[in-house]
C-alpha cells in the first residue's frame, strides 16, 4: 500500500467547550471504508466547513476528526473497475467532512459510486474553486431549465450574490444567456457582481423585509435563492406567472412564512435543491455542464487560493460573511 502510516491533515482535537483545529499528522485509521483511495491535492471551504473548523453546530464523537466536505485529487488505489490509479476525481459531500474524514488531509477514502471524474481540461484545483457551492448553483440552473425557464423567460434573481453559490450562479446564468439581477448586502461589490455578468444589483435590505402583500409586482421569472428567510417570502410574492425558485441556501434564515396565493394564482414553483447527498447521476450532469457555462476568466475572478494553515482564520471570515466568491485550498502546501 502506497499510503504511509500517518499523513498531514487539518484535524479537530477534543477541546474544552469546543473541538480545536490543529495541523499535524493523523493515522491512516481515521479514513473510512471505501473502494477508492485518493491522494488529495485540493479542497475548499463552504459554510458548513467553517462551522466544523470552529467547532460550531456539530457533535463529533471520534477524534481526531478531519473536516472538508469537498475534495479532489488523484486515485492512488482502486478496487472498483470504474476508476484506475492516476484518474483525477472529485468528491462533493455524501458525508465527507461531516460523518467521516473529509478533504483537509493528504489522503481520503470514498465509495466509487460517489466520485465524479475531473472534467477534461480542468484541474483538481479548478473543481475545488467550484466546490459544492458551484455544483449546487448548477443543480439550481438545471431545475430552472426543467421548469421551462429559458433565457427569454425574463430576469433571474440571485440572492446572497457575493457568496460562493451566488457568484457561481451569476457567472453561469449570464454565460447561458440569462439576464441576471444580483441581491447583496455588500453594495461595495457591485463592480465585482457586474463583472460576473449581473445586469443589475439590488440591495439586500430591499428584499429582507418580507412580502408586503401576497401578490406584489412581478419582477422575476426565476430565482436562485441562497438566503431563505424573509427574503424568500418577498421573492415568492414577486415572481412572474409560472416562476421557479431554486431554494438552495439559508444564509438569512432557515424558516419563512408565505401566502399560498402566489402558488395558486401565479403557479409559482418552489424547488428544494439538495447539494449534499443527491443522486450521483444528477451531479454528473451538473459537472458535465459546468465547464460549458463557466469561462476560465470568470472562474479566476471568483476564486482566491489558500493553504491548509489558512483555514482557521478563513473560517472566521466565512462565518462573518466577509469572504467573497470561492476559496480553493491547496492541501499539499
Ligand atoms: N442546498 C445545498 O445543498 C447547499 C449547498 C451549498 C450551500 N448551501 C447553502 O447556501 C448558502 C450559501 O452558501 P455559500 O457557499 O455561497 O456561502 P457564503 O459564501 O458564505 O455566502 C453566503 C452569502 O449570503 C449572504 N448573507 C450572509 N448572511 C446573510 C444574512 N444574514 N442575510 C441575508 N444574506 C446573507 C452574503 O451575500 P451578500 O454579501 O452578497 O449579501 C453571503 O456572501 C448557505 O446557507 C449554505 O449553507 C446549500
Amino acid at each position: 500500500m502506497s499510503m504511509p502510516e500517518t499523513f498531514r491533515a487539518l484535524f479537530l482535537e477534543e477541546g474544552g467547550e469546543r473541538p480545536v483545529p490543529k495541523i499535524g499528522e493523523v493515522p491512516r485509521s481515521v479514513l473510512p471504508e471505501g473502494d477508492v483511495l485518493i491522494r488529495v491535492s485540493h479542497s475548499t471551504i463552504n459554510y458548513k466547513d467553517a462551522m466544523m473548523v470552529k467547532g460550531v453546530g456539530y457533535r463529533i464523537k471520534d477524534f481526531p476528526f478531519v473536516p472538508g466536505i469537498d475534495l479532489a485529487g488523484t486515485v492512488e488505489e482502486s478496487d472498483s473497475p470504474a476508476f484506475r490509479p492516476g484518474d483525477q476525481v472529485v468528491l462533493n459531500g455524501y458525508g465527507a467532512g461531516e460523518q467521516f474524514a473529509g478533504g483537509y488531509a493528504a489522503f481520503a477514502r470514498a465509495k466509487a459510486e460517489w466520485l465524479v471524474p475531473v472534467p477534461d481540461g480542468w484541474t483538481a484545483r479548478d473543481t475545488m474553486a467550484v466546490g459544492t457551492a458551484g455544483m449546487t448553483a448548477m443543480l439550481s440552473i438545471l431545475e430552472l431549465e426543467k421548469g421551462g425557464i429559458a433565457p427569454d423567460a425574463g430576469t433571474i434573481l440571485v440572492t446572497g450574490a457575493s457568496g460562493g453559490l451566488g457568484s457561481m450562479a451569476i457567472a453561469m446564468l449570464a454565460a447561458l444567456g440569462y439576464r441576471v439581477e444580483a441581491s447583496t448586502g455588500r453594495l461595495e461589490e457591485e463592480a465585482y457582481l457586474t463583472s460576473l455578468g449581473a445586469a443589475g444589483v439590488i440591495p439586500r435590505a430591499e428584499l429582507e423585509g418580507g412580502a408586503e402583500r401576497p401578490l406584489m409586482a412581478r419582477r422575476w421569472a426565476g430565482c436562485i435563492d441562497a438566503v431563505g428567510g424573509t427574503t424568500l417570502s418577498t421573492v415568492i410574492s414577486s415572481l412572474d406567472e409560472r416562476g421557479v425558485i431554486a431554494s438552495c441556501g439559508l444564509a438569512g434564515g432557515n424558516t419563512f412564512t408565505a401566502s399560498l396565493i402566489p402558488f395558486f394564482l401565479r403557479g409559482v414553483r418552489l424547488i428544494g435543491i439538495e447539494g449534499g447527498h443527491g443522486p450521483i447521476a444528477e451531479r454528473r450532469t451538473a459537472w458535465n455542464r459546468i465547464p460549458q457555462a463557466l469561462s476560465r476568466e470568470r472562474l479566476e475572478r471568483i476564486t482566491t487560493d489558500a493553504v491548509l494553515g489558512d483555514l482557521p482564520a478563513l473560517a472566521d471570515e466565512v462565518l462573518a460573511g466577509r469572504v467573497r466568491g470561492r476559496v480553493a485550498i491547496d492541501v499539499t502546501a
Side-chain angles (χ1 to χ4, degrees), residues 7 24 28 33-34 47 54 70 74 107 125 133 135 140 169 187 209 211-212 223 242 248 270 275 283 294 329:
F7 48 87
R28 60 162 76 167
E33 297 287 303
Y47 198 85
K54 298 315 279 187
D70 286 320
T74 308
F107 288 93
R125 176 267 184 190
M135 184 195 64
S140 302
L187 288 174
E212 289 153 18
C223 172
R242 299 276 153 170
C248 43
L270 177 61
R283 287 146 176 263
L294 197 59
I329 304 289

Side-chain angles (χ1 to χ4, degrees), residues 46-47 132-133 136 160-166 183-186 204 208 226-227 248-252 273-276 318 323 325:
N46 296 278
Y47 198 85
T132 290
T136 304
S162 311
L165 204 160
S183 167
T184 182
R186 288 184 265 179
R204 182 196 290 176
E208 70 184 355
V227 167
C248 43
L250 41 71
I273 308 296
E274 184 194 18
V318 169
V323 171

Side-chain angles (χ1 to χ4, degrees), residues 234-250:
T234 309
V235 175
I236 289 171
S237 289
S238 310
L239 276 205
D240 216 336
E241 263 78 17
R242 299 276 153 170
V244 173
I245 302 166
S247 166
C248 43
L250 41 71

